[in-house]
């Protein structure tokens, strides 16, 4: 994996492959260097090798762990599709117009307003889950009703078939 990673780093050091200069490919030794150990602790790296990607601003809260294949081709494909600026408070230029307006409104809020906003959004999530649980319950009730109707109908059909077979048996016996 190290050679594929180094090849990826070399690729993105070329200006034609990193036009905005916003892609950084690096590595940290978590085992020997005190600074490396501190960084690994900061980003909660437990196993090696670990590949993190995303915006390292704000203490790394926007970093995610890469879990894909580890060849140069896989890394390059992933980077070209995923390592594009994302909308967040540190990258407002990456936001669509409506996202930027929303993000700026959050930035303008105080801590209490932000806490209230989180509670409001979480309540909407709870309400949405409750609504769909209720809808699912109604669908389940309707399904159970239709299943009972089907079971009753199939039972009546089987009873009718049984009676018809008994009539046929009686006629066969009468003809002999």
């Amino acid at each position: 994996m190290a050679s594929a990673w180094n090849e990826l780093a070399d690729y993105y050091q070329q200006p034609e492959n990193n036009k905005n200069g916003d892609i950084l490919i690096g590595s940290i030794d978590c085992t020997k260097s005190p600074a490396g150990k501190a960084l690994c602790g900061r980003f909660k790296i437990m196993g090696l090798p670990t590949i993190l990607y995303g915006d390292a601003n704000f203490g790394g809260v926007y970093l995610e762990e890469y879990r894909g294949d580890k060849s140069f081709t896989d890394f390059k494909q992933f980077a070209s599709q995923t390592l594009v600026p994302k909308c967040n408070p540190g990258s407002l230029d990456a936001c669509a117009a409506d996202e930027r307006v929303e993000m700026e409104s959050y930035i303008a809020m105080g801590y209490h307003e932000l806490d209230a906003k989180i509670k409001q959004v979480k309540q909407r999530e709870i309400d949405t889950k409750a609504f769909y649980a209720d809808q699912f319950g109604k669908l389940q009730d309707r399904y159970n009703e239709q299943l009972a109707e089907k079971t009753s109908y199939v039972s009546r059909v089987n009873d009718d078939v049984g009676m018809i077979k008994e009539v046929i048996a009686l006629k066969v016996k009468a003809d002999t």
Side-chain angles (χ1 to χ4, degrees), residues 2-14 17-18 21-28 51-54 72 75-76 78-80 83:
S3 64
W5 189 252
N6 291 335
E7 189 177 352
L8 186 70
D10 291 343
Y11 176 83
Y12 279 108
Q13 283 182 346
Q14 304 302 315
N17 300 328
N18 193 0
D22 55 2
I23 296 177
L24 170 66
I25 308 292
S27 63
I28 299 167
I51 299 172
L52 300 177
Y53 68 94
F72 170 72
F75 283 150
K76 186 175 172 233
F78 174 81
S80 68
L83 298 183

Side-chain angles (χ1 to χ4, degrees), residues 6-60:
N6 291 335
E7 189 177 352
L8 186 70
D10 291 343
Y11 176 83
Y12 279 108
Q13 283 182 346
Q14 304 302 315
E16 65 272 13
N17 300 328
N18 193 0
K19 292 181 179 33
N20 297 329
D22 55 2
I23 296 177
L24 170 66
I25 308 292
S27 63
I28 299 167
D29 184 345
C30 294
T31 59
K32 296 177 186 168
S33 155
K37 287 180 183 178
L39 245 121
C40 292
R42 176 178 162 200
F43 293 115
K44 298 174 181 70
I45 294 174
M46 301 299 203
L48 301 176
T50 299
I51 299 172
L52 300 177
Y53 68 94
D55 190 338
N57 291 320
F58 305 103

Side-chain angles (χ1 to χ4, degrees), residues 2-170:
S3 64
W5 189 252
N6 291 335
E7 189 177 352
L8 186 70
D10 291 343
Y11 176 83
Y12 279 108
Q13 283 182 346
Q14 304 302 315
E16 65 272 13
N17 300 328
N18 193 0
K19 292 181 179 33
N20 297 329
D22 55 2
I23 296 177
L24 170 66
I25 308 292
S27 63
I28 299 167
D29 184 345
C30 294
T31 59
K32 296 177 186 168
S33 155
K37 287 180 183 178
L39 245 121
C40 292
R42 176 178 162 200
F43 293 115
K44 298 174 181 70
I45 294 174
M46 301 299 203
L48 301 176
T50 299
I51 299 172
L52 300 177
Y53 68 94
D55 190 338
N57 291 320
F58 305 103
V61 297
Y62 298 112
L63 292 178
E64 296 179 52
E65 187 171 347
Y66 173 77
R67 298 187 186 280
D69 291 329
K70 294 173 175 66
S71 72
F72 170 72
T73 304
D74 295 318
F75 283 150
K76 186 175 172 233
Q77 180 180 2
F78 174 81
S80 68
Q81 294 171 353
T82 308
L83 298 183
V84 293
K86 304 272 193 252
C87 177
N88 66 52
S91 299
L92 292 176
D93 292 340
C95 299
D98 59 334
E99 291 175 316
R100 186 179 182 120
V101 167
E102 185 177 23
M103 189 68 69
E104 287 174 342
S105 75
Y106 294 151
I107 292 169
M109 292 179 182
Y111 291 112
H112 294 298
E113 290 174 293
L114 290 167
D115 284 340
K117 186 67 173 175
I118 288 171
K119 288 176 184 166
Q120 176 190 24
V121 170
K122 289 206 175 269
Q123 186 59 51
R124 268 196 312 223
E125 176 188 13
I126 290 166
D127 293 346
T128 300
K129 287 179 178 178
F131 170 79
Y132 283 101
D134 180 57
Q135 293 299 310
F136 176 78
K138 290 177 182 175
L139 286 171
Q140 187 67 49
D141 290 345
R142 180 72 179 129
Y143 170 79
N144 290 341
E145 289 170 10
Q146 289 184 334
L147 182 61
E149 287 176 23
K150 179 194 107 175
T151 303
S152 175
Y153 177 77
V154 168
S155 178
R156 284 192 315 268
V157 166
N158 287 335
D159 289 346
D160 288 348
V161 168
M163 283 192 295
I164 293 168
K165 287 181 178 180
E166 288 175 13
V167 168
I168 290 173
L170 186 62

